[in-house]
Amino acid sequence: MNAVAALQLLIALAFLSIPVVRSRYGAGAQAAVEAELGRQGVRTSVMAENGMRLDAGGHETWAPVGIAVALVLPAVLALAGNAWSGTLSWVVQPLVILVNCVILYSNLTAVPSVTAAFARSEDAELRRIDVRAMLRAAEDGFPDWVMPYLQNLRHVVVFAGSIAVLVLLVAH
């Protein structure tokens, strides 16, 4: 079960990379978005006014930290030799796969989903935004190694690690 625990800790670290990167580089990405909005003739404060931010605030912190904690718990139990680690892993690991599927889907459909959300907004400024250009500016505001490299590595670690955990649990 030490291999299961090691994989769960690795997956937890992958999730923790999200708020760490956003904390370190989110302000630069936010500035890049605001510059793009200015270029589009949209008031640069519109994102903040509507509660949208690129730093590690809100769900960009509590969600990945919560997932990491959910992974660390069975890992610690496994390392302590507690039999509940396997049962808890059978609950947590499929949920982690499902959550990461939602994250991946969100990443892949960002332009149309954000465009649709902005179109439904009562804020006329949001409806005017060229979402593709805005999201490109946000991505460009992060170091080149973040997207797509770190993002894709995180998905590989989460999916492959989770599948490996389930295979090891079956074999045990």
Side-chain angles (χ1 to χ4, degrees):
M1 292 304 265
N2 284 345
V4 167
L7 287 167
Q8 288 172 322
L9 293 173
L10 179 63
I11 298 165
L13 287 173
F15 275 101
L16 290 176
S17 72
I18 297 167
V20 167
V21 167
R22 283 181 171 263
S23 176
R24 174 67 177 92
Y25 301 105
Q30 187 70 38
V33 165
E34 290 170 2
E36 173 58 28
L37 293 176
R39 189 194 65 72
Q40 292 182 29
V42 174
R43 71 181 185 278
T44 59
S45 60
V46 72
M47 302 301 284
E49 292 165 10
N50 285 280
M52 292 174 258
R53 40 199 278 192
L54 295 169
D55 64 7
H59 79 280
E60 294 294 344
T61 293
W62 67 255
V65 169
I67 294 165
V69 168
L71 287 157
V72 168
L73 181 59
V76 168
L77 290 174
L79 294 172
N82 188 307
W84 278 98
S85 66
T87 303
L88 191 54
S89 293
W90 275 111
V91 173
V92 169
Q93 222 60 58
L95 291 174
V96 167
I97 292 171
L98 289 174
V99 166
N100 208 60
C101 285
V102 170
I103 292 169
L104 181 58
Y105 178 78
S106 174
N107 291 345
L108 294 173
T109 62
V111 171
S113 65
V114 172
T115 300
F118 284 7
R120 292 188 302 271
S121 173
E122 293 180 18
D123 189 327
E125 291 286 287
L126 282 180
R127 293 192 305 267
R128 294 188 323 111
I129 294 173
D130 175 349
V131 172
R132 184 175 305 281
M134 182 197 73
L135 292 176
R136 189 175 323 110
E139 187 173 316
D140 290 346
F142 288 97
D144 291 339
W145 54 265
V146 173
M147 289 182 251
Y149 305 111
L150 178 63
Q151 182 180 32
N152 290 342
L153 176 62
R154 192 186 62 72
H155 287 304
V156 168
V157 167
V158 171
F159 285 127
S162 294
I163 291 166
V165 165
L166 294 173
V167 167
L168 289 168
L169 289 171
V170 167
H172 186 261

